[in-house]
Each structure stands twice: as C-alpha cells, then as structure tokens.
Amino acid sequence: MIFYTAVGNRVEEDSGRFVVRVGEQEKVLSEMETMLWAALTWSVCEEANVHSQMYRLLCIALGKEKAMEWADEEDFRFCLNRLVRRGLVARCEGETKEEALFFLFQRAVLKPICYSFSDRMRSFTDSLVMGKGIKFALRAFQKPTFSYEEHKVFTQIVKNGTISDHLCSLQEETQKVPVAEKQKWEILEQVSQEYLRILVSLYKKKQLVISCIREEGGLEAKERMAAIV
C-alpha cells in the first residue's frame, strides 16, 4: 500500500506567510498546500484516504460550504503531487503504516521538537478553534512520558538525526558479537526493528519531525532494511 506523510517543520514568520523548513531550505506554501501539509503532519495516511482526511480538516477550519469549494479532486491531486515534488510530503510503501515508516526512516533525517510556551499556547488555541474541546486542547500543556529506551533514542536524535548512521552503528556493533554470522543477522534484525519501533513511537507522540528525506540511505541501508522489515 502507498502512504503519505508530511516532511519539514513550520518556521515562524512575521510576514504572515506559511513557511516550512525542509533540511536547510525554507519553502513557502500556498493556502491549499498549507491545508494538505497540516492534514498530513504526524499522520501516515493511506493514499485512498488522503483526500477525505484533508476534506475533514477543511470542514473544521472553513465550514462545510467553503470546504466543498476547495475540495476539487483534480486540484487536490495536483497539489499533493506538487508537495511530493517539492519534498514537503513523502510517499512511502508498506503493508502497514509502521512498515511504511520503517522504510521511510532509513532515508530520513529526523529532528526533535522542543515546544516553547508560545508553541503550546498556539496549539491549545488552534485545538479550540477547530472544535476539539477543552479536554483535548489541554493536551498541549502535557509533557510526554518517555520510556528509558525512548529517552535514550531521543537523546541520540538530538545529537544526530540521520537514521542511516544509527543503523550502520547497530550493524557495526553486531559484527563484534562473538557468535555465528547467521546469528549476527538475526540479532541485527531484532535490534534494528526495535530501534525503528521506538522512532515510530516518538513520531506518533509528536516528538520528532521528518526534517528531510535523503536520496541514499547510507551504507548498505536498502539491502539491510529489505531483510529486516
């Protein structure tokens, strides 16, 4: 199956433009691009459901009548393809959302999110405006709970967000284990899958964003990940 998710993080702008930083580049989004990018932020959406997910967001933000004016299927498809070409949305494949993220993360540079009070206040206000209710809106002020493993991985990402580097390090460490070669591969599969599961958990908790997608995933990353996932 094919899935889509947003890439980059929003940059504060006094000009009123909606700007997203992808890697080292800052890109200005149109109104429809902004809506679609927001609908896919921290969301891994199956291709067949992307349009309906954006439409629901438009209904909340603009009202049903206005949303119908924006929800033209042809315009939507053009906008989605343009976001993919600009590197603002990633297209990934897998049997499940988690598997699609596993394949995507091998080529990704992830960035930790550190929320300021103003960020949390804006999230709180946006949730109220979107009609999500006070109970949901108050989540903006809750600090995430990390397991020991999540905290360890999050700290690694703060220092280096290139995931292929960490996967290569796991491979190098596994090679030092004094066991048969076949067992080394089994160990590598286990530790790599667990590492990727932790990344997915942090992503779902909205503690990481995909800063950019690299063309190459690093040393033997594609072959290794094909065997692991």
Side-chain angles (χ1 to χ4, degrees), residues 7 34 36 38-39 49 51 56-57 65-66 82 90 110 133-134 147-148 164 167 195 202 226:
V7 177
T34 297
L36 182 50
N49 299 330
H51 182 261
R56 286 195 298 271
L57 181 63
E65 184 177 343
K66 185 68 174 178
R82 186 167 186 265
L110 302 183
I134 186 67
S147 67
Y148 171 80
S164 62
L167 292 173
Y195 182 78
L202 290 170

Side-chain angles (χ1 to χ4, degrees), residues 63-228:
K64 188 172 182 179
E65 184 177 343
K66 185 68 174 178
M68 291 182 68
E69 297 177 11
W70 281 56
D72 180 80
E73 186 76 29
E74 186 176 341
D75 290 344
F76 160 79
R77 184 58 55 183
F78 175 83
C79 181
L80 177 62
N81 290 336
R82 186 167 186 265
L83 286 172
V84 172
R85 288 196 304 271
R86 298 181 70 195
L88 289 156
V89 165
R91 182 181 184 272
C92 47
E93 297 183 42
E95 292 299 316
T96 65
K97 293 179 180 181
E98 288 73 19
E99 185 179 283
L101 282 178
F102 282 7
F103 282 114
L104 183 64
F105 281 173
Q106 68 164 308
R107 299 186 293 115
V109 177
L110 302 183
K111 181 178 179 180
I113 294 294
C114 297
Y115 295 99
S116 65
F117 179 78
S118 59
D119 291 332
R120 295 180 184 277
M121 182 58 73
R122 183 174 61 248
S123 178
F124 172 77
T125 304
D126 289 346
S127 295
L128 290 179
V129 170
M130 293 172 69
K132 294 186 177 181
I134 186 67
K135 186 175 181 180
F136 181 93
L138 285 171
R139 293 181 185 178
F141 298 104
Q142 294 178 354
K143 292 185 177 180
T145 302
F146 287 168
S147 67
Y148 171 80
E149 291 78 11
E150 287 174 337
H151 184 269
K152 183 178 179 180
V153 171
F154 185 83
T155 302
Q156 289 178 336
I157 301 303
V158 170
K159 297 177 182 178
N160 178 10
T162 304
I163 303 308
S164 62
D165 289 349
H166 297 299
L167 292 173
C168 286
S169 295
L170 290 176
Q171 184 179 34
E172 291 168 2
E173 290 299 316
T174 303
Q175 289 300 319
K176 299 176 184 177
V177 179
V179 295
E181 195 66 27
K182 182 179 179 180
Q183 289 179 290
K184 289 181 181 180
W185 268 103
E186 292 174 352
I187 294 171
L188 178 60
E189 288 178 19
Q190 293 173 1
V191 297
S192 297
Q193 281 194 10
E194 181 57 28
Y195 182 78
L196 290 165
R197 287 192 188 98
I198 293 170
L199 289 177
V200 170
S201 176
L202 290 170
Y203 186 66
K204 289 181 177 179
K205 288 182 177 182
K206 302 182 180 181
Q207 298 306 303
L208 300 174
V209 295
I210 304 171
S211 177
C212 63
I213 303 297
R214 303 174 70 196
E215 289 299 321
E216 298 296 334
L219 178 64
E220 298 179 350
K222 292 182 180 180
E223 291 83 358
R224 182 180 62 247
M225 289 303 299
I228 290 171

